[in-house]
Structure formats: structure tokens, C-alpha cells
Amino acid sequence: MGGWNPECKTTNISGIQSNLSWFWWISTLVPVKSYCDSTNLGLGKSSARAGQRVGAPSPRICHNADTASELLWAVYALVQVLHQSDAIEFYQLGDSWEQWLNYTKTNAAKVSIPDTA
Amino acid sequence: MNTSLTSTQVFYRGNGRVCSVVDLNQTLLPSDQAQNYSCEGGDTALLDDPYEGELFTWWLYFFGGLSNADKQDLWKVKRPQLQAVNYTGSIVNTSYDDPVLTNYSGDPVKGKKIGPITVQKGYYFSSHESWKLLEMPYLDVPIVKRVFDNAERVRTCNSVLMGKNAGMFASVNNITDPTTGQIDGYLGPAGIPSVAVNQEQELDVITPYSVFPTILSNLSVGVAWYKNMLDARGMQNPYGSTESTRRDGTGISAFVSWDSKVTTVNALLGGVSRFVRAQMEQDSIYHEFINVTTTEYNRVFGNGKALSGEDVELCLPDFQVPVANVSDFTMCSNASAVSRAGNA
């Protein structure tokens, strides 16, 4: 059976730990896709729609709460870490992501639409 | 002309119901009057699971601008899905197309008994269902930690009890068809049928990332299972771990994905819940999270209800994936490592 190989780093656990940056660590919980399409089959695994392939004909697009849920709290953690940094560029990056989080708070449950009277 | 604001439902559909997937017209702004949000599958296609989908419930709960009544209704809708079940060590058939109760080798299942062990009933009991533990400080709640420690007793011991099984199960991509190079679909129903809502499962394929909840519970045991799967032919590649392998070693998924790789790395580093906890404390929402979670889990598992199996030891792998017709990736074979060392 295979042993450890320096080019196959998954078994070098201590090496992984020592080489990771905090920011990369946080980013590991941000899914690659926040929208669903016919190729992303891992979405909504535990929902009633588990395993179902979702096609989203243009221009309509589907937003998947299950994937969003994993993204949102990962970014929430990221903002916390960035705001602990003494480096101004990281702190400001935290501010920018916080703006994005604040935006999601305005349109996740409901969105306000102006109407005319 | 006066302009006012009308609140239109997006993911929250009222009465505690949260839509799983919302369709919208992406050529229009979110606040365009012509914008239309519809719940794909109708208002009964809900995100109401007590697994990873719960992370979105919390987002709406804390930040969705919902009324107190709506916030309480979120949990009322979800409550029936949080259930206790006892694992008894009985093994259902391990081949999805085999109607006879046999183990992997084709022998009748023997009445080995471990347990009972009380766990939260899974949808499939796929490892990905514990994703929420990576992100939010659930394990700060004692009853939650006890329940999820039990889950890993079941996850590890079930894999041993199955017989001739080197790994554990989670929703994952199927193996690659060697003649076409295409993946044979996605195996969503992969977990532990006897403690799952959905018992029709496909259990011929194991995946390294199935260990991430085990790692959160017991690093040593989790890593032992991880290594046991990575030791199989083709399960390491230049990008790290490989997606999945058949238990009989006759095929691998020559593929890498976010879900199947990084969940494990993140678990090895303890998840990000400590950062989320710190920010929740700053936002003054941490104690409410703890209180609500404690209440919901105590309804099912606490307040004098028996939680069996906490004395059961986690199980270690006792089998390795057989060497069959799969080759190691060229850059990851022992021979290539020796060759590079010689050229150094």
C-alpha cells in the first residue's frame, strides 16, 4: 500500500498545519460556487432536493440557501480574523467583506422594493 | 409622487418556512419592481433540515430582520426533523442492488452487537451532515457535543462491523469510468442506513472526507481512518487526496472537489467555530445561540432522556482497500518518489 510521498501532501499532516495561513484556513469554508447550475451536484445535500440536478435557464438563476449557509458563516469568521490584524490592508479587507455580509442581511429573508403611490 | 418600500419575500416564505432554492431574474436588480422571487419546487420545498442547512436558519434568525414570532416559527418548522435514534449494531445490506442482507463479501450479516448508541437521526447519516460543527460553536453546548461524539462512535464502528470495509461514507462523486474518463454520477445517498431517514443507499464507495466529523471528535481515530483510505491505490494525487474509491479497489473517482478535500483540512485545524464564537460575542448573539441550541437539543436528547452508548470506544479500521486494477497516479507512486530522490 502507498506510503507518504513528498508530492502527495495529504498524508503529511504536520506539514499542512505548519504551512497554512490563517486566512487560507478560513477561506477553505467558502464554497467555490454560490449559485447552482447543472454541474454542481453537491448542493442541497440534506434538503428535500437532495441529489437533484438543478438547471437554471438564463436569465433566471437560482440561489441556493444551503450553499449560502456555508459561505455566510465562513465569511463571518473571516471578517473576525481580518479585523484582528495590525496590517491596515487586511483590516480594510475585513471592512469590505463586512459590507458584503451587511448586504446579505438586507436581502436574505426579504428584500425591500420601492413602490409608487 | 411618493416612494415607499414594500417588503418582498426572498428565502423566508412566512410561518417559519425557508425556501431551499429561490429563482429570480438576474437581469433585474434585486429591488426592481418587476423582480419576482419564486421558491423553486413551491413553498413546500423547504430548507428545514437539522444538518448543514441549519446554518442558513441561524443567518435569518440573527440577521434576517424577522419578527420574534417569525424567529420562533423557524424552529417550530424545523423541530420535527431533529430526532433521536439508537444504533444497535445491526447492519443493513451493503450493496444497493442486493436484496439479501449480506455483507461486502456476500456472507450473511452476522448479529454482531454494539450499542445501543443514541445519535441524531441522519438524512443519510453522511458525514457532510455535520458541516455545521465546523462553522458555528455547536460543540460549546454539552448535550450537542455528547450526541455528536456518539455519532462518531457509530460512524467508525459501523464501518468495521460491515466487514471488509476500509473506510467511511459520505455523499460524494462516484468513480470514473475508465473507458470514457467520465464520472458515473453523484452518490448522494451514502451514509449509515440504519440511523438515517433515507435507507436506500449506495455503499460501494468510500471517501476520505468522511473522516472530518470524526477528526472533530477524536483526532487520532479520525486520522487513522483518513490514512487508511489514502493508502489505497490512486487515492493520492498531485493535488492531494483523491475524491473517492470503491471499497473493492476496482475503481476511483479521478477527481478533486472542494467538499471532499478541504472539509478534512479544516477539521484538522479545529474548524473556524472559534472565530465565529468571538465575533458572535462581539455581536452579542453568542448566548442566544447557546440557549436556543441547548433548548432544541434538550427537547430530544436531554432533560433526563437516556443517551446510550457513551461508554463505547471508537473503532479503528481493520481492513485495507484491496489492490485490484487501479494504478497509482504517476507522480504519486512509490517508484516515482524513489526516482526523484535518486536524481536529487
Side-chain angles (χ1 to χ4, degrees):
Chain A
M1 302 303 245
W4 179 72
N5 181 313
E7 290 202 24
C8 303
K9 299 175 182 174
T10 47
T11 53
N12 183 8
I13 293 161
S14 62
I16 289 174
Q17 284 183 303
S18 63
N19 291 326
L20 288 178
S21 73
W22 291 97
F23 302 145
W24 182 86
W25 177 13
I26 298 289
S27 73
T28 62
L29 282 175
V30 180
V32 175
K33 292 185 177 184
S34 57
Y35 300 153
C36 60
D37 59 35
S38 60
T39 63
N40 190 351
L41 307 180
L43 299 174
K45 288 173 179 171
S46 296
S47 70
R49 312 174 64 261
Q52 181 180 343
R53 294 177 184 234
V54 179
S58 181
R60 293 189 70 79
I61 193 164
C62 59
H63 291 244
N64 189 300
D66 216 359
T67 302
S69 64
E70 294 154 6
L71 171 66
L72 290 164
W73 289 103
V75 175
Y76 188 84
L78 174 66
V79 168
Q80 205 281 332
V81 172
L82 290 173
H83 280 165
Q84 303 306 309
S85 175
D86 292 329
I88 186 67
E89 64 268 32
F90 286 138
Y91 195 93
Q92 290 175 339
L93 183 60
D95 287 345
S96 297
W97 276 111
E98 189 170 33
Q99 286 181 27
W100 180 83
L101 281 181
N102 288 338
Y103 176 69
T104 71
K105 296 172 186 175
T106 68
N107 60 19
K110 303 173 184 177
V111 66
S112 296
I113 295 180
D115 52 13
T116 56
Chain B
M1 183 172 68
N2 296 321
T3 301
S4 59
L5 293 175
T6 298
S7 189
T8 298
Q9 294 172 336
V10 184
F11 280 106
Y12 187 69
R13 314 304 289 185
N15 299 319
R17 298 169 305 156
V18 177
C19 183
S20 288
V21 177
V22 169
D23 286 339
L24 57 84
N25 187 333
Q26 66 171 338
T27 66
L28 300 175
L29 290 172
S31 58
D32 192 295
Q33 290 177 331
Q35 185 59 271
N36 178 39
Y37 299 96
S38 61
C39 187
E40 193 172 290
D43 280 359
T44 58
L46 301 180
L47 186 81
D48 57 4
D49 69 79
Y51 316 113
E52 79 278 11
E54 192 165 285
L55 293 165
F56 194 64
T57 303
W58 282 118
W59 196 258
L60 298 184
Y61 183 91
F62 285 125
F63 305 123
L66 301 179
S67 68
N68 283 335
D70 282 337
K71 289 164 71 172
Q72 301 309 312
D73 285 345
L74 287 174
W75 297 103
K76 288 179 184 173
V77 169
K78 287 170 53 62
R79 202 161 285 152
Q81 284 74 252
L82 182 61
Q83 298 175 25
V85 62
N86 279 334
Y87 177 82
T88 62
S90 63
I91 313 298
V92 299
N93 59 309
T94 59
S95 178
Y96 72 95
D97 57 356
D98 185 353
V100 181
L101 200 65
T102 57
N103 65 18
Y104 178 64
S105 60
D107 299 325
V109 169
K110 296 177 181 176
K112 295 179 181 177
K113 186 173 177 64
I114 285 185
I117 305 174
T118 308
V119 295
Q120 176 182 330
K121 181 178 276 190
Y123 189 75
Y124 302 122
F125 215 85
S126 160
S127 292
H128 85 269
E129 292 164 18
S130 298
W131 199 310
K132 68 182 184 181
L133 305 182
L134 282 174
E135 299 208 41
M136 295 186 75
Y138 278 95
L139 297 178
D140 290 358
V141 179
I143 187 63
V144 174
K145 179 166 181 15
R146 290 170 59 200
V147 168
F148 279 93
D149 282 344
N150 264 7
E152 300 320 304
R153 293 181 172 96
V154 168
R155 198 182 314 280
T156 56
C157 292
N158 181 74
S159 277
V160 172
L161 288 181
M162 290 176 73
K164 296 190 175 181
N165 174 37
M168 302 191 294
F169 303 96
S171 302
V172 75
N173 282 287
N174 203 346
I175 65 165
T176 304
D177 182 336
T179 61
T180 65
Q182 299 299 307
I183 290 172
D184 290 338
Y186 190 82
L187 300 174
I192 301 178
S194 63
V195 286
V197 173
N198 289 282
Q199 300 193 330
E200 291 289 327
Q201 301 198 11
E202 301 181 46
L203 301 175
D204 296 320
V205 172
I206 53 178
T207 176
Y209 98 91
S210 61
V211 305
F212 88 78
T214 311
I215 287 171
L216 289 177
S217 177
N218 186 310
L219 177 63
S220 303
V221 174
V223 170
W225 280 98
Y226 190 49
K227 181 181 185 302
N228 208 51
M229 286 182 272
L230 295 190
D231 279 346
R233 285 281 181 91
M235 288 305 289
Q236 299 177 58
N237 64 71
Y239 305 103
S241 59
T242 301
E243 182 85 355
S244 65
T245 176
R246 280 186 60 87
R247 288 164 49 200
D248 60 7
T250 60
I252 62 166
S253 187
F255 185 76
V256 290
S257 73
W258 195 260
D259 287 12
S260 82
K261 293 177 62 64
V262 187
T263 44
T264 308
V265 177
N266 199 282
L268 286 168
L269 298 168
V272 299
S273 59
R274 77 189 69 173
F275 307 121
V276 170
R277 179 195 302 115
Q279 189 64 41
M280 291 178 81
E281 287 173 338
Q282 282 183 240
D283 292 343
S284 300
I285 59 175
Y286 174 72
H287 292 296
E288 187 168 0
F289 168 80
I290 295 296
N291 290 339
V292 172
T293 303
T294 300
T295 299
E296 295 302 320
Y297 273 81
N298 271 340
R299 282 178 188 275
V300 180
F301 299 99
N303 294 332
K305 296 184 180 69
L307 192 64
S308 301
E310 293 185 274
D311 57 338
V312 175
E313 296 285 341
L314 279 76
C315 295
L316 290 166
D318 64 353
F319 185 74
Q320 290 185 302
V321 175
V323 174
N325 53 331
V326 172
S327 300
D328 279 328
F329 287 94
T330 305
M331 294 177 66
C332 296
S333 65
N334 284 334
S336 67
V338 171
S339 174
R340 280 191 300 278
N343 294 332

